Amino acid sequence: MDGTGGADFDVLSDQVAAAERIGLDGVWSTEVSRDPFLPLLVAAQKSSTLLLGTAAAVAFARNPMTMAAVANDLNTFCRGRFVLGLGSQIRAHIERRFSMPWSAPAARMREYILALRAIWTSWHTGGKLDFRGDYYQHTLMTPMFRPEPNPFGSPRVMLAAVGPKMTAVAAEVADGLLLHGFTTARYLREVTMPAVHAGLRAADRSRADFAVCYPGLVITADDERGYLEAVQRVRRQIAFYAATPAYRAVMDLHGWGDLHTELHRLSKIGDWAAMTAMIDDDVLSTCAVIGEPKHAGAEIVRRFGELVDRFTLYTPYPLDQAARSAVVEGIKQAG
């Protein structure tokens, strides 16, 4: 639900109505400048069909018990349509913004999700809560604090992952994977999906029970002015991601390691204009789907139809509802 910051209920309501009208399957709420959960209450009131999820809530900013409670309440309120998307964030934010402990994130996240599931199982079955891990211990659940069993079951848990360790954790213990927007079709095919399949095999799980969601960058518009703005905004977004060391693997796979090094250097001095100018048409067309709306929809299916289960339109620029609707229609026709 872009463009609201999570605070304007009228705009949120309009966005939910528009999402239903143009045929989207669901909406995601982010944790950037606002709480990721509260906007979904509005969405649940305005829609009885849309899938509603966080993409992503910062797991390590909260302990498993508080996360389990809000997710259980939302899944009840949404009548089983809530998806808990979790992310780890980076060390500086966890320690300095949230004042929470930091450790190797993949191992902690694995235990975090297992703790969530133990808490929900205790609530649903009435059994004793006795979770003891290296990072979290939950051993007290008295009747006064035990929620009534949720008739819709536990929410699905999806995990945001970039590196191979967190991807393996997702495949082992989560219900799906939230990919990063700076992911190419080649990186998905050659790096991410093999890691997913290996993780699922190791955990004796089926790919059919595991959802892969991708927020892909799309450049489209109904007019030339809008198209040029979209190109510039996406170039800038790609420059930001391509300069980030955590995403260097994508750059290296495509032979753009030297470009990453220079972008990273420029980012240290804040020269965003120079960085944006370095994103040439080859990088742009590899990292983003480009075309008029219906063509863009067909290209999304061609590139990603066999790789991902859900595709989110990632448009860091204003995109009117008519164009968005045309993209969705192009996806449906091509699919």
Side-chain angles (χ1 to χ4, degrees):
M1 294 188 286
D2 289 338
T4 68
D8 190 321
F9 289 110
D10 291 335
V11 175
L12 282 170
S13 298
D14 290 344
Q15 287 184 327
V16 172
E20 282 195 319
R21 187 168 57 251
I22 67 178
L24 295 178
D25 294 323
V27 294
W28 297 105
S29 177
T30 61
E31 181 163 19
V32 183
S33 60
R34 298 286 179 177
D35 179 89
F37 302 109
L38 291 178
L40 297 179
L41 287 174
V42 179
Q45 287 180 311
K46 299 298 180 180
S47 170
S48 61
T49 60
L50 290 173
L51 187 74
L52 309 171
T54 54
V58 180
F60 302 153
R62 306 164 177 87
N63 63 59
M65 183 63 70
T66 56
M67 185 71 81
V70 69
N72 183 71
D73 286 348
L74 267 173
N75 201 44
T76 303
F77 194 82
C78 299
R79 304 181 67 82
R81 291 178 290 129
F82 175 64
V83 177
L84 177 61
L86 297 176
S88 61
Q89 250 298 352
I90 63 174
R91 182 171 189 163
H93 282 268
I94 298 303
E95 290 186 336
R96 293 166 52 199
R97 182 156 69 99
F98 293 108
S99 190
M100 295 291 279
W102 176 262
S103 60
R108 181 180 283 269
M109 184 65 79
R110 179 184 182 277
E111 187 174 296
Y112 192 103
I113 294 174
L114 292 177
L116 286 175
R117 298 200 187 283
I119 293 166
W120 288 329
T121 297
S122 171
W123 291 348
H124 296 322
T125 66
K128 182 180 179 181
L129 176 60
D130 188 18
F131 182 86
R132 301 171 189 267
D134 295 328
Y135 308 99
Y136 303 103
Q137 294 81 41
H138 299 280
T139 60
L140 176 64
M141 182 52 57
T142 56
M144 180 176 179
F145 299 101
R146 185 189 302 274
E148 292 293 323
N150 180 345
F152 307 102
S154 302
R156 286 160 286 181
V157 178
M158 304 194 72
L159 180 58
V162 175
K165 291 183 180 179
M166 197 67 81
T167 300
V169 170
E172 181 184 355
V173 299
D175 298 303
L177 176 65
L178 295 173
L179 296 166
H180 193 276
F182 190 62
T183 301
T184 66
R186 180 181 172 189
Y187 192 85
L188 269 173
R189 187 173 288 108
E190 297 182 15
V191 179
T192 302
M193 294 313 298
V196 167
H197 290 303
L200 290 172
R201 286 194 300 271
D204 195 24
R205 302 181 67 196
S206 169
R207 173 68 176 87
D209 298 324
F210 187 83
V212 177
C213 300
Y214 175 45
L217 286 162
V218 177
I219 297 173
T220 192
D222 285 326
D223 58 80
E224 184 177 3
R225 180 179 179 182
Y227 173 78
L228 293 175
E229 180 179 1
V231 167
Q232 188 67 9
R233 294 278 194 97
V234 173
R235 281 192 200 277
R236 182 181 175 92
Q237 194 68 45
I238 291 172
F240 169 75
Y241 289 141
T244 305
Y247 312 136
R248 173 158 192 156
V250 177
M251 302 292 285
D252 286 340
L253 180 68
H254 288 274
W256 299 330
D258 290 343
L259 175 60
H260 163 80
T261 299
E262 180 61 12
L263 287 169
H264 183 62
R265 183 188 71 81
L266 291 170
S267 72
K268 293 294 187 181
I269 60 176
D271 195 345
W272 297 102
M275 292 169 62
T276 301
M278 293 184 69
I279 304 302
D280 63 23
D281 289 346
D282 180 43
V283 176
L284 188 71
S285 62
T286 300
C287 297
V289 170
I290 304 173
E292 56 86 21
K294 280 196 175 181
H295 170 77
E299 180 64 10
I300 287 167
V301 174
R302 187 190 71 80
R303 287 198 201 183
F304 302 106
E306 295 182 356
L307 294 171
V308 306
D309 303 296
R310 291 186 178 274
F311 186 95
T312 300
L313 298 179
Y314 183 4
T315 55
Y317 55 88
L319 183 64
D320 64 49
Q321 293 302 324
R324 197 178 296 272
S325 180
V327 174
V328 173
E329 184 59 28
I331 291 172
K332 291 181 176 179
Q333 290 180 358

